[in-house]
Amino acid sequence: MHVPDGFLDLPTSLATAAVAASAVALSLRGARRELDDRAAPLAGLVATFVFAAQMINFPVAAGTSGHLIGGALAAVLVGPWTATLCLTVVLLVQGLLFADGGLSALGTNITLMGVVGVWTGYAVFRLALAVLPRRIGSVPLAAGIGGFASVPMAALTFAGLFMVGGTAPLDAGSLVAAMASVHTLIGVGEGVLTALVVGSVVAVRPDLVHGARRIRAASIQAAAPAPSSGHRA
Amino acid sequence: MGAEHTHGLHLPGQSTVHRLPAHLKIVSTLAFVLLVVATPREATWPYAVHLAALMLVARTARVPAAYLATRLVVEVPFVVFAVVLPFVATGPRISVLGLSVSEPGLVAAWALLAKGTLGVLAALLLAATTEPRDLLTGLTRLRLPRQLVEIMGFMVRYVEVVTGDLRRMSIALASRGFDARSPRQWPVLATCLGALFVRSYERGERVHLAMLSRGYAGSLPVLDAAPLRVGDLVVAAALPTMAAVGMGAAVLTR
């Protein structure tokens, strides 16, 4: 999934690096709101979780398997700002420590997975949550829809970048069609897995799921109309 | 991705390359990769110059060729893309070994393979000769935002712990007869990941509390780094200089 060196020309790589740098700068501020001063250790451990989650192979069929990208998953679990930071750090570590993903394409990879993937996933998640019934059970479903949407969107962004600064002559229409169709399938897997993982966390520790906060706040208010009637430690 | 993946690619050593300050190595590698990407693809010899430069670094660092070769597997996905490219690309077709392929596609595929492989080799050499801890110090000296480096620091420190958690979970699953063969087993694997998230998050909270109890006030102290030496600069400049010569000659003779 990682874009290697030489896929996109130098100007496009540098432009995406600038996009990535601004997104990271904004996220550093935003993450303070999501995690306050616990940001460094918590985001670090969540980044490690995303890294580990990408290592699990999910069997598909006939011996093939795939793995999570985790942008939408991280956005629903810890909030989109922190998720952008986590994906950025995962890509930095993969690029610098594991030679996975080109160093000149780091900005491109951060833009695709850490910005487009995370924020598409989160935006679609919030939209779906607004439409679905206001129950805690809607959170995994909405997360799954966000996870599904994030993959083809990132792929289409890549196709767009390739049209601008690609290094190979490909027919625009067929490139978009190929990227969209393959990544819609991959997106189905990402969506199902995101929904399953969020569902399992919601079942045991709903308080840890950032995307479930509003619904939980509403349901706690509904259950206890009189304030200070009970205190949950 | 096996268990080895979590250990990083560091290969301990005492060579000139190993002892070079990390921030210089990062800049040197990045400059090299950018020059490779900017190299025109019409001629093949500039890429031989780039490869020779990398081989010189590998030799100085005593990184065995086999070590680098076996780790080139990360480039398999884009090798597949490069193989398909001549068949799907547009432009005039030529016949190669009886197959009709696109000529510009073939050139693009060659350039992708060459640039991608050189990029992977350069990154492998950086990872092999630099300890993760030094990489973090290097990134701090390069003015990467402190908070980002701290997050990365926690990841580098805890990656073994978290992947160890994951490994123990999969051993526990396997010892109960679990065998993931089809998407029907996804719920079990996803529950496993859910549990891993809860454990990682709670560990993050515990680590934070432990840090607070030791006087953490929002940022970690930066250890003083060694002063910059001219000799180090010269050594670090060697790799990008060789690449610049190759790239510059390629541009001039085009």
Side-chain angles (χ1 to χ4, degrees):
Chain A
M1 292 301 291
H2 294 10
V3 179
D5 292 307
F7 241 65
L8 300 174
D9 62 13
L10 204 53
T12 317
S13 303
L14 295 177
T16 53
V19 171
S22 343
V24 168
L26 283 174
S27 304
L28 282 169
R29 279 199 222 163
R32 288 230 170 252
R33 276 205 301 281
E34 284 165 359
L35 297 174
D36 56 68
D37 72 326
R38 300 173 303 164
L42 268 181
L45 265 302
V46 174
T48 318
F49 160 75
V50 172
F51 179 81
Q54 292 185 353
M55 287 170 59
I56 285 204
N57 278 317
F58 288 87
V60 180
T64 59
S65 64
H67 70 85
L68 265 169
I69 303 162
L73 175 67
V76 172
L77 288 177
V78 291
W81 298 114
T82 313
T84 296
L85 291 185
C86 290
L87 267 289
T88 301
V89 167
V90 167
L91 289 165
L92 269 171
V93 168
Q94 287 173 337
L96 288 172
L97 267 62
F98 298 102
D100 197 2
L103 290 181
S104 70
L106 202 51
T108 311
N109 282 318
I110 292 173
T111 304
L112 291 175
M113 285 179 255
V115 182
V116 177
V118 164
W119 285 91
T120 306
Y122 190 71
V124 172
F125 164 75
R126 289 289 296 272
L127 280 176
L129 208 56
V131 175
L132 291 168
R134 289 187 69 81
R135 280 188 287 108
I136 193 83
S138 302
V139 174
L141 186 59
I145 298 170
F148 163 71
S150 68
V151 180
M153 193 62 196
L156 286 178
T157 312
F158 174 74
L161 288 176
F162 203 85
M163 294 288 84
V164 178
T167 51
L170 286 172
D171 177 47
S174 48
L175 176 66
V176 169
M179 286 298 276
S181 54
V182 170
H183 286 86
T184 303
L185 276 179
I186 298 176
V188 171
E190 179 86 8
V192 171
L193 291 173
T194 303
L196 288 171
V197 176
V198 170
S200 74
V201 180
V202 160
V204 288
R205 287 292 301 273
D207 56 313
L208 293 191
V209 181
H210 181 273
R213 278 183 191 174
R214 285 153 189 268
I215 287 189
R216 269 175 37 85
S219 63
I220 288 170
Q221 267 177 0
S228 78
S229 63
H231 183 71
R232 279 180 55 175
Chain B
M1 278 182 233
E4 198 189 7
H5 198 259
T6 63
H7 289 280
L9 302 167
H10 183 240
L11 201 67
Q14 283 299 322
S15 72
T16 321
V17 185
H18 281 86
R19 287 197 311 258
L20 205 60
H23 65 293
L24 295 181
K25 269 190 272 188
I26 297 171
V27 173
S28 173
T29 310
L30 197 59
F32 172 80
V33 173
L34 290 175
L35 285 165
V36 167
V37 172
T39 304
R41 58 194 185 193
E42 284 77 14
T44 48
W45 59 265
Y47 295 93
V49 174
H50 294 328
L51 186 64
L54 280 182
M55 288 301 109
L56 200 65
V57 175
R59 210 181 153 76
T60 316
R62 296 197 188 84
V63 176
Y67 180 88
L68 296 172
T70 51
R71 279 156 187 84
L72 275 176
V73 288
V74 289
E75 67 168 358
V76 166
F78 71 82
V79 170
V80 173
F81 182 81
V83 168
V84 174
L85 193 57
F87 297 98
V88 296
T90 54
R93 319 279 295 178
I94 52 167
S95 176
V96 176
L97 303 171
L99 294 167
S100 163
V101 295
S102 149
E103 195 179 2
L106 200 61
V107 175
W110 137 254
L112 274 182
L113 270 183
K115 292 181 181 185
T117 309
L118 287 168
V120 173
L121 283 175
L124 279 174
L125 280 174
L126 174 68
T129 57
T130 320
E131 272 197 59
R133 194 190 55 216
D134 296 335
L135 271 177
L136 295 172
T137 324
L139 290 173
T140 314
R141 287 188 82 170
L142 292 173
R143 303 291 162 87
L144 207 70
R146 285 276 299 279
Q147 216 189 343
L148 199 66
V149 181
E150 280 180 23
I151 297 174
M152 206 174 150
F154 282 101
M155 178 167 172
V156 166
R157 268 174 235 142
Y158 284 94
V159 68
E160 300 266 355
V161 178
V162 172
T163 48
D165 255 353
L166 185 61
R167 197 160 39 241
R168 281 186 293 281
M169 283 187 212
S170 49
I171 290 172
L173 283 173
S175 65
R176 285 157 182 79
F178 178 76
D179 183 19
R181 285 173 171 278
S182 78
R184 264 177 304 176
Q185 276 92 41
W186 283 11
V188 178
L189 290 170
T191 310
C192 198
L193 274 185
L196 188 70
F197 170 74
V198 174
R199 286 187 191 182
S200 305
Y201 194 95
E202 288 176 343
R203 190 184 299 278
E205 287 179 323
R206 287 198 303 277
V207 169
H208 176 246
L209 287 178
M211 286 164 60
L212 285 183
S213 71
R214 285 159 181 80
Y216 176 71
S219 63
L220 293 174
V222 179
L223 299 176
D224 263 349
L228 203 57
R229 290 189 310 171
V230 180
D232 287 340
L233 276 177
V234 172
V235 174
L239 178 66
T241 306
M242 284 186 273
V245 168
M247 182 241 172
V251 171
L252 289 177
T253 57
R254 181 149 64 152

